[in-house]
Amino acid sequence: MRKAEDIESYLIQMEVPYETMGDGVWKIKDLGPEVMVSIADSVVAFRLKVMEMAQIPQPKREAFFHQLLELNATDMLHGAYGLEQGNVVVTDALELENLDFNEFQSTLDDIGMAVSNHHRTLAKFLA
């Protein structure tokens, strides 16, 4: 079974700047917006805040949500866009038990690429 020390060793191996926020919680600082990685029971959760919903004018929200759903279906290898406390986020979760370095790294890479590739598409909905 993998442990918090394994996740920390993956971060060191990736040579990314990170900050330990608490037991089993890390903030990765170099992927553009900060990615939070946390262990909850037997799952490693990844979360990145993309934008605040308040930035999307009410008349554009239905089209914006439609776009997020399309991106989830067509462009997201790992994770998905979602809403959390008034924010648009990208989230993913992986089983901790047999998580290896390649799986960890590819999840972070996919989240970073998604935000980068989708920025222009989502920015057109901003006020």
Side-chain angles (χ1 to χ4, degrees):
M1 172 89 156
R2 301 281 185 218
K3 299 178 183 166
E5 294 80 18
D6 296 303
I7 303 303
E8 191 143 359
S9 75
Y10 294 163
L11 293 167
I12 292 167
Q13 196 173 346
M14 288 179 66
E15 298 179 350
V16 295
Y18 69 92
E19 181 180 346
T20 302
M21 305 302 292
D23 253 2
V25 180
W26 302 269
K27 184 189 321 182
I28 301 172
K29 300 179 178 186
D30 85 330
L31 299 174
E34 296 171 338
V35 177
M36 300 298 295
V37 178
S38 59
I39 297 174
D41 297 320
S42 63
V43 173
V44 178
F46 301 79
R47 182 192 167 282
L48 179 142
K49 177 182 169 184
V50 177
M51 67 178 66
E52 295 176 8
M53 277 305 303
Q55 295 177 274
I56 309 297
Q58 196 65 40
K60 295 182 179 181
R61 287 192 181 181
E62 183 177 344
F64 177 75
F65 293 141
H66 183 85
Q67 183 68 65
L68 288 179
L69 289 171
E70 283 186 358
L71 291 172
N72 280 346
T74 61
D75 282 16
M76 298 298 289
L77 180 61
H78 294 279
Y81 286 101
L83 299 177
E84 178 183 71
Q85 299 177 359
N87 298 307
V88 176
V89 296
V90 175
T91 61
D92 195 4
L94 300 171
E95 288 292 325
L96 179 60
E97 183 175 348
N98 56 3
L99 180 66
D100 65 20
F101 174 74
N102 291 332
E103 188 177 24
F104 183 84
Q105 183 176 29
S106 67
T107 298
L108 287 173
D109 290 346
D110 187 58
I111 290 171
M113 283 183 53
V115 170
S116 177
N117 291 342
H118 301 156
H119 175 73
R120 186 170 286 164
T121 300
L122 298 177
K124 70 183 179 184
F125 294 99
L126 297 175

